[in-house]
Amino acid sequence: MSTVLIVEDEARIASFLTKGLRAAGFTPRVVARGGEAVETALQGGVDLILLDVGLPDIDGLDVARQVRAQGLTTPILMLTARSEDTDLVVGLDAGADDYVTKPFRLA
């Protein structure tokens, strides 16, 4: 079973993602802060990172940069309310593999 690290500080969204991923057969792990995300991702055992950009300590862009600088190649999918083209480019340049804007649907 694949493990998905959910990095989301909004409990409602984290719960929604957790339920949807479990129903699809994944094992979700949730953290709400960027520092925790870096630490958890670098410990290994994560197959995908769902990463919010707006986090309370360090933002998701810096999380992506830090884990990529450490050589982590785990796919990163950024989930954010920031929807401008420049935001997409900045997210991908930071190390994200893809970028999805909120609101979104699991289907």
Side-chain angles (χ1 to χ4, degrees):
M1 197 176 295
S2 295
T3 300
V4 179
L5 177 61
I6 301 168
V7 186
E8 175 59 64
D9 62 322
E10 291 185 41
R12 186 173 96 339
I13 295 172
S15 176
F16 170 74
L17 289 168
T18 297
K19 288 176 187 173
L21 289 168
R22 278 195 184 123
F26 295 95
T27 302
R29 292 182 63 188
V30 179
V31 298
R33 303 179 66 79
E36 279 182 283
V38 171
E39 184 179 311
T40 302
L42 293 176
Q43 288 174 356
V46 174
D47 301 297
L48 173 67
I49 301 170
L50 296 181
L51 180 59
D52 184 20
V53 174
L55 298 169
D57 54 349
I58 60 174
D59 71 21
L61 298 170
D62 285 333
V63 170
R65 289 182 188 111
Q66 287 183 31
V67 298
R68 292 298 189 232
Q70 294 295 317
L72 189 74
T73 60
T74 302
I76 298 173
L77 175 62
M78 288 208 170
L79 300 175
T80 180
R82 299 177 189 176
S83 61
E84 298 295 321
D85 288 343
T86 55
D87 296 317
L88 169 69
V89 171
V90 170
L92 296 175
D93 284 347
D97 294 283
D98 209 346
Y99 195 95
V100 175
T101 56
K102 296 175 185 176
F104 58 90
R105 293 185 179 143
L106 285 180

